[in-house]
Amino acid sequence: MNKQKRDRILGLAALAAAIAMPVYGADIRESAGDGSGSEDSSIRMVSADSEPGNWLLHGRTYSEQRFSPLGNINQENVSKLALAWYFDTGTKRGLEATPLIVDGVMYTTGSWSKVYALDAKTGEQLWEYDPKVPREWGRNACCDVVNRGVAFWDGKVYVGTIDGRLVALSATDGSLRWDINTIDRSKPYTITGAPRVVKGKVVIGNGGADLGVRGYFSAYDADTGAMIWRFYTVPGDPSLPFENPELEAAAKTWKGGEWWKIGGGGTVWDSMAYDPELDLLYVGTGNGSPWSRHLRSPGGGDNLFLSSILAVRPDSGELVWHYQTTPGDSWDYTATQHIILADIEIDGEVRNVLMQAPKNGFFYVLDRKTGELVSAEKYVKVTWADHVDLATGRPVENPEATWKDETAVVFPSSLGGHNWHPMAYSPETGLVYIPARDLPGAYGPEPGFEHRPGAWNTGTDLVHFADVPPEAVNGYLLAWDPVHQREAWRIKQDGGWHGGLLATAGGLVFQGTNDGNLSAYRADNGSKLWEVKTGTGIMAPPVTYMVDGEQYVSIMAGWGGVYGVAFGRAAKSMQGAGPGRLLTFKLGGEALAPTVAQQPYQELPEPLPPLSVSEEVLERGKVLYQRNCAVCHGFGMVSAGVIPDLRYSSPAVHDIWNDIVIDGLLTGNGMASFADVLSPDEAQIIRAYVVERTNEGEIPGSSRPDSQ
C-alpha cells in the first residue's frame, strides 16, 4: 500500500475516534513526549468496556474476561458467517497472538516477533516491523518462536521479542520509538508473552526456566523506555543483599542446594490482569529450574515464589499478597495460565474474585483483594494431589507422584490440564470456558544431572516424554461453573492442543482447534452452530470487533508451539504446518477462501546404510537426542510437522552432519550450533541413533504429514 493511502486510512480512523469519543482524540496520535497523553490513555484503557467496537487490551479489558458485548453475530444468524478477508504472514511457524483493534486498525504479531498493522475492515497491510531477531536465538525458545501479541498506549505499539528486547513503535507508521534490552544476554531468556501497559508503565516478563534462568518481571516508562522497577520472583545468591524484603522472606523457603547457580526459575512468561479500583496488578509465575525440587532445594521448602499468583502495586512493584498454587513444584505446574477477574455471587454475597485454571488441574477462585482462597476443585483428571485443603490453602499431595528416585506417571503432564491458551468468561451464563486436556506425564530423574549452560536443565529424564501414546491424549472444550465448582458441559475434541476462547453477548463461544477448524458454540449448552475449515492448525484465541456497523471475528491460524513442534506422536489429529494466516469473518462475507495445499502423508525414505555401532552407543544417542534435539525435532524422533523430522534427512545431510550440528552451517535457518553442549563425537552418536530410528520405520499411531 502506498504511503498516501495508508496515511488516509489512519487519519480517518483518528478522526472517527475524535468525533465519537472526544476525550480520546489524542490516542491515535503520537505523544509529544512529555507524557501529556498518558492520563487520557489511562482513562481510555480503564474504560475499555465502553468501546465494544474496539479490542484495546490483550483480554479486551483489564479484567481479561475475553467477553465481548457485541451481539450482531448471534445464535440465530451465526450460520451466515463467512470469510471477509485474510492476511498471509508468509510463515509456517506457530501463531499465538491476540490481535488488538484500535479505531479501525488491527495490530498483531507473527513468528519471530514481527508486528503487522492492518486495515481492520479490508485486511490491507498498513505497515510491518521486523525486529530482526537473530535466528540462532530460536534455540533458547522452549516452545517455538511464537509471540502472543502487542500492547497499545498513547499512540504507540509495544512488543516483546523472542531475544529479550522490549520495543516501542509508532502506531501510525511502525517507525521505531525505542528498543531496549530486558535480559542478561549471556543467559537463555526469551519473551513470548504480550506486554501490558498500566498507568503509563509497560510491564513484561520472560521465559527460559526450562533451560536455567532466574525469573523476574519489570516495568518500563511507556514514553522513554526507562526501567522503573523490577520484581525478581525467586531469591538470588543468599550471600548477597536481597533486592527486597519479600525475597529475604522467600529465601527461607529454599533449603539446601545452590539454586541460584542453576537458575531457580519462576519466570513470568504470560498471564497478567489489573484491577483499577484496587490498583493491583496480578501476575502468574512459572515452574522451578530445574523442575525437580530435590535438585534445586534438597532440604525441602515451598520455594517461593514459584508457581504462584502475585498481587503487586503497579507504581512500585511492591508485593501486596501472594498465593502459591503448587508449593515446591516438581511437575512444571506453572501458574502463568490465564487470570480472569470477575464479580460473582457466592453464598448470597457478591465476591470480587480472581479465577485461574493453572497447569496443575485445580480451578482456583481467590479473593482478589486479599488473596484468600475461596475454593479450588479439580477441573481435569488429577493424580498428583487428592484435594486442596481450604483451611490451609495447600494441596494434599499424593506420595506416589514423587519422582525423586524413580519414574512416576502423573496427571496432568507438564503440558497441564490447561496451558497458555486463554480462557473466556461470560457474565451472561456465569461460565468459564477452558481449552482443557487429560494427558499423563512420565516424570523420572535424569541420571547424573549436571547443569549445562544453554541446554535444557529440567532434571527430568526426557527419554520418558516419548512414552505417551496418542490414545492417552483427550482434549475438550470445558464449560466450568466457578460458583459451584463443577462442569456445566464439555465438547470432546481430537488431539490436545486447541485454541483459546472468545465469548460474546450473542450467546456464542468461538474456538479454533488443532485440526484446523474454527467453530461457534451455544454458550449455554455447547451445541455447535457453525464451523469452517481453515487449512491450518489453530492455537490462538479469536477476537471480535466492529467497523462501520459490521461485526467481525478474527483469528490467527498457525500451527506450532511446544505441542505442535515436539509432540509428534500425540498430535495425531493436527492439520499440520500449513501457511500462517489471519482470517477475518463477517455475516455474508464474500471473500474467496485461500487455497490450502493439503499436507501429503508419505512413507519414510528407504533405509540408510546402518552404522557399525554397539547397542550401548545407540542408547547413548537416544539419550543425547532427547536432551538436546527432541524439543524441536520431536520426542521419540517423530516431528509434529513444524520443524523437519530428522528421519527424513537426506544422505547429503548426513554427509555434512557435523557441519550443521557443530559448526552451525544452518544458523541462518534457525538451526544454531550446539558446539557448546555437544562434542563432535557426540554429534555423530546422535546421527547413529537417527539412522537407527529411520530404519525402524513408523511407531504405530504416529503417521504424520511430510515436514520437508
Side-chain angles (χ1 to χ4, degrees):
M1 174 183 295
N2 62 45
K3 183 177 185 300
Q4 184 178 7
K5 185 175 182 182
R6 180 198 67 202
D7 291 346
R8 179 178 61 82
I9 292 173
L10 289 168
L12 289 173
L15 179 61
I19 293 173
M21 297 164 290
V23 70
Y24 303 137
D27 284 295
I28 197 67
R29 301 189 296 269
E30 280 297 326
S31 165
D34 60 1
S36 59
S38 185
E39 183 177 352
D40 283 348
S41 289
S42 288
I43 295 171
R44 186 177 193 187
M45 297 307 163
V46 168
S47 306
D49 199 37
S50 67
E51 298 187 43
N54 284 323
W55 192 285
L56 298 178
L57 296 155
H58 188 64
R60 200 185 74 83
T61 65
Y62 277 132
S63 65
E64 299 273 330
Q65 292 182 5
R66 292 181 177 264
F67 172 82
S68 171
L70 296 179
N72 290 28
I73 299 171
N74 52 54
Q75 295 175 1
E76 285 69 40
N77 61 21
V78 68
S79 62
K80 299 178 182 178
L81 206 59
L83 189 67
W85 57 263
Y86 68 91
F87 172 76
D88 279 312
T89 64
T91 63
K92 286 191 176 182
R93 299 294 291 267
L95 299 179
E96 299 184 353
T98 296
L100 301 188
I101 297 88
V102 184
D103 305 327
V105 181
M106 177 181 291
Y107 305 95
T108 191
T109 60
S111 308
W112 297 105
S113 318
K114 287 186 178 181
V115 184
Y116 308 96
L118 310 171
D119 182 329
K121 183 174 182 177
T122 67
E124 286 192 78
Q125 181 173 311
L126 305 178
W127 54 259
E128 174 184 327
Y129 177 79
D130 184 354
K132 300 189 184 305
V133 174
R135 291 304 186 255
E136 60 268 25
W137 205 275
R139 171 184 156 181
N140 298 326
C142 80
C143 312
D144 201 4
V145 289
V146 295
N147 187 279
R148 297 188 191 94
V150 300
F152 180 92
W153 183 271
D154 194 21
K156 288 182 281 295
V157 173
Y158 304 88
V159 65
T161 68
I162 198 75
D163 64 335
R165 292 176 285 143
L166 182 62
V167 177
L169 307 170
S170 164
T172 304
D173 59 14
S175 58
L176 183 65
R177 288 295 178 260
W178 46 260
D179 181 338
I180 60 168
N181 175 54
T182 73
I183 63 169
D184 177 348
R185 305 199 72 79
S186 70
K187 301 287 196 305
Y189 283 102
T190 55
I191 295 177
T192 57
R196 308 300 203 276
V197 188
V198 176
K199 300 173 71 176
K201 300 166 187 65
V202 189
V203 184
I204 192 69
N206 45 57
D210 300 318
L211 285 79
V213 300
R214 182 189 183 194
Y216 57 85
F217 57 105
S218 314
Y220 297 86
D221 185 280
D223 191 49
T224 67
M227 190 171 79
I228 299 172
W229 54 259
R230 172 167 290 174
F231 188 99
Y232 284 96
T233 55
V234 299
D237 185 344
S239 69
L240 301 175
F242 293 103
E243 289 84 357
N244 56 52
E246 292 84 4
L247 286 176
E248 184 174 7
K252 298 175 182 178
T253 69
W254 295 70
K255 301 178 181 180
E258 297 180 319
W259 70 87
W260 62 94
K261 293 184 178 180
I262 53 178
T267 49
V268 176
W269 53 265
D270 197 27
S271 63
M272 299 182 201
Y274 174 60
D275 185 332
E277 292 187 6
L278 295 175
D279 193 28
L280 289 177
L281 174 67
Y282 306 97
V283 178
T285 71
N287 55 280
S289 178
W291 289 0
S292 171
R293 71 181 78 166
H294 306 292
L295 291 174
R296 66 175 185 264
S297 184
D302 289 348
N303 292 186
L304 293 173
F305 296 101
L306 297 181
S307 303
S308 299
I309 298 170
L310 311 180
V312 303
R313 296 293 181 197
D315 287 332
S316 62
E318 173 194 0
L319 182 67
V320 176
W321 60 257
H322 76 274
Y323 177 82
Q324 191 171 37
T325 58
T326 312
D329 175 28
S330 270
W331 302 276
D332 185 22
Y333 286 162
T334 63
T336 51
Q337 283 57 56
H338 188 186
I339 293 171
I340 291 176
L341 310 183
D343 299 335
I344 61 178
E345 185 175 329
I346 301 175
D347 296 330
E349 177 187 0
V350 175
R351 301 289 299 268
N352 307 130
V353 302
L354 174 155
M355 300 182 288
Q356 189 188 50
K359 279 189 185 181
N360 74 11
F362 288 93
F363 189 97
Y364 293 87
V365 179
L366 306 178
D367 184 297
R368 66 176 185 262
K369 182 177 181 179
T370 65
E372 172 197 357
L373 177 64
V374 176
S375 62
E377 293 292 341
K378 299 175 182 178
Y379 67 94
V380 292
K381 183 175 181 179
V382 175
T383 63
W384 72 274
D386 182 72
H387 65 281
V388 175
D389 187 319
L390 294 183
T392 65
R394 300 177 65 87
V396 178
E397 289 188 25
N398 176 5
E400 295 182 358
T402 301
W403 52 276
K404 176 183 178 182
D405 300 313
E406 58 185 19
T407 299
V409 177
V410 178
F411 280 86
S413 76
S414 61
L415 293 180
H418 165 228
N419 208 286
W420 65 267
H421 317 77
M423 309 183 297
Y425 169 72
S426 170
E428 295 187 348
T429 64
L431 300 177
V432 178
Y433 305 95
I434 311 171
R437 72 186 61 83
D438 287 322
L439 174 64
Y443 297 87
E446 179 181 331
F449 170 76
E450 292 183 0
H451 177 74
R452 299 182 303 152
W456 271 58
N457 287 288
T458 63
T460 58
D461 190 348
L462 295 178
V463 171
H464 296 291
F465 274 62
D467 297 337
V468 179
E471 57 270 18
V473 183
N474 293 291
Y476 43 95
L477 167 55
L478 176 65
W480 189 259
D481 178 348
V483 174
H484 301 97
Q485 283 280 23
R486 64 192 180 198
E487 177 181 320
W489 52 261
R490 73 167 63 190
I491 303 296
K492 177 74 170 62
Q493 298 165 323
D494 289 337
W497 202 248
H498 301 288
L501 279 303
L502 164 69
T504 76
L508 300 171
V509 172
F510 290 89
Q511 183 188 33
T513 54
N514 59 198
D515 53 0
N517 293 320
L518 175 62
S519 304
Y521 304 88
R522 283 184 61 108
D524 53 358
N525 61 24
S527 298
K528 185 183 292 186
L529 301 176
W530 173 80
E531 183 173 85
V532 64
K533 292 189 177 298
T534 67
T536 301
I538 297 174
M539 306 179 292
V543 298
T544 189
Y545 60 94
M546 183 173 285
V547 178
D548 292 340
E550 288 189 296
Q551 184 180 352
Y552 296 81
V553 175
S554 286
I555 194 165
M556 303 289 291
W559 183 241
V562 64
Y563 193 84
V565 170
F567 287 81
R569 289 191 67 203
K572 63 176 182 177
S573 63
M574 65 185 182
Q575 175 65 34
R581 290 186 169 120
L582 192 156
L583 303 165
T584 298
F585 302 84
K586 69 175 184 177
L587 296 175
E590 297 179 349
L592 294 176
T595 301
V596 178
Q598 293 299 312
Q599 295 286 326
Y601 286 79
Q602 67 177 42
E603 300 295 327
L604 284 169
E606 292 295 319
L608 297 168
L611 304 181
S612 298
V613 296
S614 66
E615 289 297 322
E616 289 77 13
V617 169
L618 290 175
E619 184 61 28
R620 176 62 175 159
K622 178 180 180 180
V623 171
L624 289 171
Y625 171 87
Q626 293 294 103
R627 292 179 182 174
N628 297 282
C629 315
V631 293
C632 287
H633 295 284
F635 290 109
M637 207 178 297
V638 181
S639 169
V642 175
I643 294 176
D645 189 314
L646 296 182
R647 297 172 301 158
Y648 287 76
S649 300
S650 67
V653 168
H654 283 274
D655 289 342
I656 57 171
W657 191 268
N658 277 24
D659 296 329
I660 297 171
V661 178
I662 301 300
D663 298 335
L665 180 65
L666 299 181
T667 294
N669 294 343
M671 174 60 200
S673 165
F674 277 70
D676 57 328
V677 293
L678 291 173
S679 69
D681 287 344
E682 287 175 324
Q684 286 298 312
I685 290 173
I686 292 175
R687 187 174 82 87
Y689 172 62
V690 171
V691 171
E692 179 73 9
R693 278 289 292 112
T694 301
N695 293 344
E696 284 179 358
E698 292 284 5
I699 300 172
S702 66
S703 297
R704 45 165 291 283
D706 174 29
S707 63
Q708 303 303 298

